[in-house]
Amino acid sequence: MSFEACELSDLARAMVPIDGTTTLSDAVEVIAAARRFLDAAVVAERAAGASWQDIGDVLGLSAAEARERFGTAEARFRRQLRSTDDGWRGYLVREPLEAAEDLDEWAGGAAPVSGGLHPVVE
């Protein structure tokens, strides 16, 4: 979820119109990023134990509507956890603490992402 928030923030910050170059396609990118952030927030809530009814209550949907709308995002997340791709998401899965520290650096170093994570001792 932190990665999606980072991406959304970067896109939105780039949209601050200082020279009139912001376009409709830029706005569409921000909306798409906001949807990915919402998907990630729902997946995080589900991973923390929230029911579809809990999700639906927050979003003004029935449990069935929430499951229909966000079930695909949850399934995609679970597939990505098993993925070995070399992209950012694969990196998040393989090295969660290091990825969180990268996001901390992006956020100004205040440890908002990694503050709650602890390395796994084997």
Side-chain angles (χ1 to χ4, degrees):
M1 187 170 79
S2 296
F3 170 74
E4 297 300 348
C6 172
E7 202 169 71
L8 175 58
S9 176
D10 281 346
L11 284 169
R13 183 176 35 226
M15 297 259 322
V16 175
I18 56 174
D19 61 5
T21 60
T22 300
T23 65
L24 179 58
S25 64
D26 294 326
V28 169
E29 282 186 62
V30 171
I31 295 300
R35 287 184 178 135
R36 288 191 303 271
F37 179 63
L38 178 58
D39 286 352
V42 168
V43 169
E45 289 294 317
R46 291 280 297 152
S51 69
W52 285 117
Q53 186 62 57
D54 296 333
I55 301 297
D57 288 348
V58 171
L59 298 173
L61 303 170
S62 69
E65 290 169 324
R67 185 180 320 109
E68 182 178 322
R69 165 64 179 87
F70 296 101
T72 302
E74 183 179 26
R76 184 175 49 248
F77 173 76
R78 293 184 187 286
R79 277 193 312 277
Q80 288 171 339
L81 284 178
R82 296 185 300 269
S83 173
T84 58
D85 76 4
D86 291 328
W88 174 252
R89 292 182 202 296
Y91 173 59
L92 288 171
V93 171
R94 288 188 312 277
E95 301 292 340
L97 181 59
E98 188 174 320
E101 290 169 346
D102 289 345
L103 287 168
D104 289 345
E105 185 177 322
W106 172 88
V113 178
S114 68
L117 300 177
H118 304 284
V120 175
V121 178
E122 295 181 24

